Amino acid sequence: MSIDFYSSRVLELDTAEQRVKFRIFLIRYDRSWGCEGLLPDDAGFFFRVLWDAADGVAKRRHGPLHGLVSIEECINPVWANVNSHRFVRSVERVATRNAPVDNAHADRLADFYAGHFDSLDAHYHEWDSRWEHEDRLVQADYDVQVTDPRWLAPLKHGQGFCTSAYQSWAGRGPVDGADAPTSDHLAATGLPAAATGSAYSSLGWFRKQRGDLNGAAAAYRRAADLGDAHTTVEALLSLDELHADHEETGFADELRQRARAALELCVRLQQAGRQDEARAAYLIAHQAGDPALLAGARQRAGMETPAEHGYRLAQEGNRAAAAAELRRAYEPSSLVVEFGLALYARDFDTAEAALERIGGDLEERQLGEVAADLAFLYAREGDNAAMEAVVDLLSQNEFAAGAWHYALDNGSAHPLEAVATIGSKLTASLPPSDYEVYGTQPYTWCHEAYWICVRELGSIEAADAAILKLGHLLHEVGDAEAARAAYVCVRELGRTRAEAEATVRLARLLDESGDDEAASEAYEAVADHVQAAREAFEGMASSIEDRVAAAIARIRDEDGTPDDLDILEGELVRLHGPGPDADSYAASRYAQWLAAEGDEQLARELLLKITETG
């Protein structure tokens, strides 16, 4: 439910004196939290530590606090604010270690926490013993006086455990019991918003389970108001889902529903200028593993893939944030984080070593996605050496083709030249793609690529040519399904010249693939194009010849100086040879102009221009 940010250890215990000395370790740290308010000083925090210590799980003993206070009351910030003094008389911090004092220290601290994230996670239930690097964690020692020795009964000297306790404003002065923290309050006190927001989200979940939808909505709205991007987005999604009338579905369908809702939220937040929260919503959509959703986020909200966004953060010097981006997108795999950070640093030896430790199909897919995104990113940057190094790493693995299709579907596969270069290397030694396995939609992708080409290349004709070229390149690298989609896309756009070329290429592709019936239909379409073009040309040529002859005769009759026309016609014959070809050439050029302008004087200039440029 809630996220654990702290662990605790009992250093001293005196039940008779109703006193306990705790050492509190900060086991999560994000650079955005800065330097202030990282360690607790409030009674509410230690009330929750005592409540966790009495829960009777993970080697802990059961205590009376669990009979007196429900979990919903414990996580409710308002209830804890009003009632913590009933259990905790006083709190005094007696020592502090490793708290950051400036931005440089905070940067180093964030890198340390990011680099040891997995080791800390592995130690989750082992705080009775020391963590190997715990001396470097942000930490403090506290003398805590309680109101009744019963609250200390479950504790024992040396006991350690993770705690869901979070800082509150209990003990910071009188406050109305109806009050609750806001983002402004948290900014003033320096308290991390993520922990309090997580508590409110958990409270909302509990209220929803017992049917208190209004109470759940109020808790979610509080969570959304606390200023942490990720807890805000989780709360907003929960609010959207609270009153949604979903059909009973399986887990996979629920995940897809949530991902689609997250995409819509991402777009709304981006349009409202709330970029950090939009990014958090995008990462929830990413969890569905559907490249089409990522393509939608790219097109509608300008969202980069996790690998691309992490690369930008790393280039800005924020390695910890880059690691956090990959971790949120690809949890629970730590190998993806190691692999991505190695590629960001262009440390291809370390990246290759990571590939040798892949633990299963999911990790294969995730590493392939990161590698494919970065290969195209390096291609766009013009760093061909890095692009080729990443492609070489990918090409050694069976998941290479899947990674390539993922990039095609999510929109990171551009420019078109890189699609051919990278695709030819990744698919050369692999069997034909299984589109049902990879979940790709080649026609949709080609159609979207077409309109991108219109926008980027500046014209419909250039887009036709680009997609025809793309189809040819896909055909060359053995991706017949995607090539076919490209040709079909151009044919269905219905522009005669491009349609004819696409039909010719599609017919050849179908013939090669053994689809005789479809190939026959395409060849018939080719024949129809040729016949229609021939008939149109013959009809035009006959009409043009008559009109040109009449126009030249009129010009001669009107100005009485035929010499210039005779010279021009002689030049045309000399340049293009005597006979029907020369006549057709002159007639077509002349008639096109005549039909467009109707100005016989300019007809002379056009004929002159033809001879000069011929």
Side-chain angles (χ1 to χ4, degrees):
M1 294 299 295
S2 62
I3 301 171
D4 292 345
F5 292 87
Y6 299 94
S7 71
S8 63
R9 185 174 297 145
V10 178
L11 301 182
E12 299 175 11
L13 180 63
D14 190 332
T15 305
E17 293 292 327
Q18 299 177 194
R19 185 183 71 84
V20 59
K21 187 173 187 177
F22 282 115
R23 177 164 294 168
I24 300 299
F25 299 95
L26 181 67
I27 58 174
R28 298 281 187 271
Y29 178 69
D30 188 287
R31 177 64 186 85
S32 63
W33 298 349
C35 300
E36 301 297 327
L38 299 177
L39 290 163
D41 284 302
D42 57 286
F45 178 91
F46 287 96
F47 156 68
R48 296 183 185 92
V49 171
L50 292 169
W51 192 91
D52 283 340
D55 62 9
V57 300
K59 303 178 184 179
R60 296 187 288 273
R61 294 182 288 185
H62 195 277
L65 266 181
H66 266 249
L68 293 172
V69 180
S70 69
I71 185 172
E72 186 176 331
E73 289 172 326
C74 181
I75 63 176
N76 186 337
V78 175
W79 189 96
N81 177 67
V82 173
N83 292 281
S84 291
H85 71 280
R86 295 167 51 197
F87 306 96
V88 177
R89 179 172 287 116
S90 66
V91 174
E92 180 184 3
R93 190 194 301 189
V94 295
T96 303
R97 303 175 191 85
N98 303 324
V101 296
D102 54 31
N103 289 338
H105 190 183
D107 289 339
R108 292 193 299 272
L109 190 67
D111 282 336
F112 169 78
Y113 274 86
H116 293 83
F117 184 94
D118 299 311
S119 178
L120 280 166
D121 260 9
H123 204 69
Y124 188 85
H125 290 302
E126 305 298 329
W127 285 96
D128 281 342
S129 59
R130 287 178 54 83
W131 181 59
E132 57 182 335
H133 302 297
E134 71 176 42
D135 290 342
R136 297 180 62 184
L137 295 174
V138 178
Q139 58 193 269
D141 297 343
Y142 298 85
D143 280 333
V144 179
Q145 288 278 337
V146 299
T147 59
D148 193 304
R150 291 180 298 164
W151 316 147
L152 303 180
L155 297 177
K156 56 184 177 180
H157 185 271
Q159 178 183 7
F161 53 94
C162 271
T163 175
S164 57
Y166 60 92
Q167 298 186 60
S168 70
W169 63 110
R172 296 176 184 270
V175 63
D176 187 334
D179 282 351
T182 64
S183 55
D184 290 340
H185 178 89
L186 290 170
T189 60
L191 302 176
T196 309
S198 177
Y200 269 115
S201 291
S202 296
L203 179 61
W205 183 88
F206 277 109
R207 288 175 173 174
K208 179 182 177 182
Q209 297 311 300
R210 60 178 171 82
D212 180 7
L213 298 187
N214 289 334
Y220 289 140
R221 281 193 289 270
R222 288 294 190 189
D225 187 43
L226 293 176
D228 175 72
H230 295 279
T231 51
T232 293
V233 166
E234 289 283 357
L236 290 174
L237 273 179
S238 296
L239 272 172
D240 287 346
E241 294 171 350
L242 195 60
H243 300 288
D245 185 18
H246 290 311
E247 296 181 4
E248 289 295 324
T249 57
F251 176 76
D253 288 332
E254 288 180 6
L255 183 61
R256 282 190 289 271
Q257 286 177 355
R258 184 172 175 80
R260 287 192 290 269
L263 173 59
E264 296 306 316
L265 180 58
C266 170
V267 173
R268 296 202 310 267
L269 291 168
Q270 184 70 11
Q271 290 172 346
R274 297 163 66 177
Q275 284 85 359
D276 289 346
E277 293 167 5
R279 188 72 201 168
Y282 168 87
L283 289 175
I284 294 174
H286 180 269
Q287 292 172 3
D290 182 355
L293 279 180
L294 307 192
R298 183 187 295 273
Q299 293 159 8
R300 299 173 60 195
M303 289 289 118
E304 304 166 304
T305 63
E308 293 169 325
H309 190 67
Y311 176 80
R312 183 172 62 77
L313 293 169
Q315 293 301 106
E316 293 170 356
N318 199 341
R319 183 178 178 276
E325 173 77 10
L326 292 173
R327 184 170 291 110
R328 290 189 182 103
Y330 293 111
E331 68 175 340
S333 175
S334 61
L335 193 63
V336 177
V337 179
E338 178 185 338
F339 180 72
L341 292 177
L343 291 184
Y344 294 161
R346 291 169 169 76
D347 182 356
F348 302 112
D349 290 338
T350 298
E352 185 172 18
L355 287 175
E356 295 172 357
R357 304 198 308 277
I358 292 175
D361 292 345
L362 176 61
E363 225 164 42
E364 279 187 352
R365 177 177 65 79
Q366 292 174 337
L367 267 69
E369 290 178 1
V370 171
D373 284 337
L374 290 177
F376 283 105
L377 186 151
Y378 290 141
R380 292 193 293 276
E381 286 191 342
D383 190 344
N384 291 330
M387 182 267 287
E388 290 173 2
V390 176
V391 171
D392 286 344
L393 289 177
L394 259 181
S395 62
Q396 301 170 25
N397 296 276
E398 294 181 356
F399 54 84
W404 188 52
H405 290 298
Y406 154 83
L408 293 180
D409 281 351
N410 76 33
S412 70
H414 64 91
L416 294 178
E417 292 79 2
V419 174
T421 302
I422 293 173
S424 62
K425 292 186 177 182
L426 294 185
T427 61
S429 60
L430 296 172
S433 306
D434 184 340
Y435 280 82
E436 292 183 358
V437 171
Y438 297 127
T440 62
Q441 299 172 301
Y443 176 79
T444 300
W445 173 71
C446 288
H447 186 72
E448 291 170 352
Y450 174 83
W451 291 109
I452 291 172
C453 289
V454 171
R455 210 163 48 241
E456 293 185 354
L457 301 178
S459 73
I460 287 174
E461 291 77 9
D464 287 334
I467 300 303
L468 283 169
K469 179 181 178 182
L470 174 61
H472 178 65
L473 296 172
L474 290 165
H475 190 177
E476 282 188 339
V477 301
D479 199 334
E481 184 71 17
R484 178 175 179 171
Y487 296 147
V488 169
C489 174
V490 176
R491 283 189 71 194
E492 292 184 355
L493 292 169
R495 283 177 292 280
T496 305
R497 181 176 177 181
E499 180 186 355
E501 186 174 349
T503 304
V504 171
R505 294 188 179 189
L506 179 61
R508 289 174 181 167
L509 185 151
L510 293 168
D511 199 3
E512 290 175 10
S513 64
D515 191 344
D516 296 338
E517 184 175 348
S520 175
E521 292 177 1
Y523 279 128
E524 288 177 10
V526 173
D528 290 342
H529 277 299
V530 172
Q531 182 63 26
R534 180 181 291 116
E535 290 173 355
F537 174 77
E538 289 172 353
M540 180 183 70
S542 175
S543 173
I544 286 171
E545 230 176 296
D546 293 342
R547 292 173 66 190
V548 169
I552 291 176
R554 284 197 304 274
I555 293 170
R556 284 174 169 162
D557 290 343
E558 288 173 5
D559 64 15
T561 56
D563 292 347
D564 56 346
L565 287 173
D566 290 338
I567 292 169
L568 292 175
E569 289 176 328
E571 284 293 304
L572 287 171
V573 170
R574 183 181 66 79
L575 290 169
H576 302 290
D581 289 343
D583 293 343
S584 296
Y585 179 86
S588 63
R589 292 285 187 179
Y590 193 93
Q592 287 171 19
W593 183 92
L594 186 65
E597 300 293 340
D599 189 325
E600 294 174 352
Q601 178 60 35
L602 287 180
R604 291 173 179 260
E605 297 175 7
L606 177 61
L607 287 170
L608 179 60
K609 183 177 181 182
I610 292 170
T611 61
E612 289 174 345
T613 58

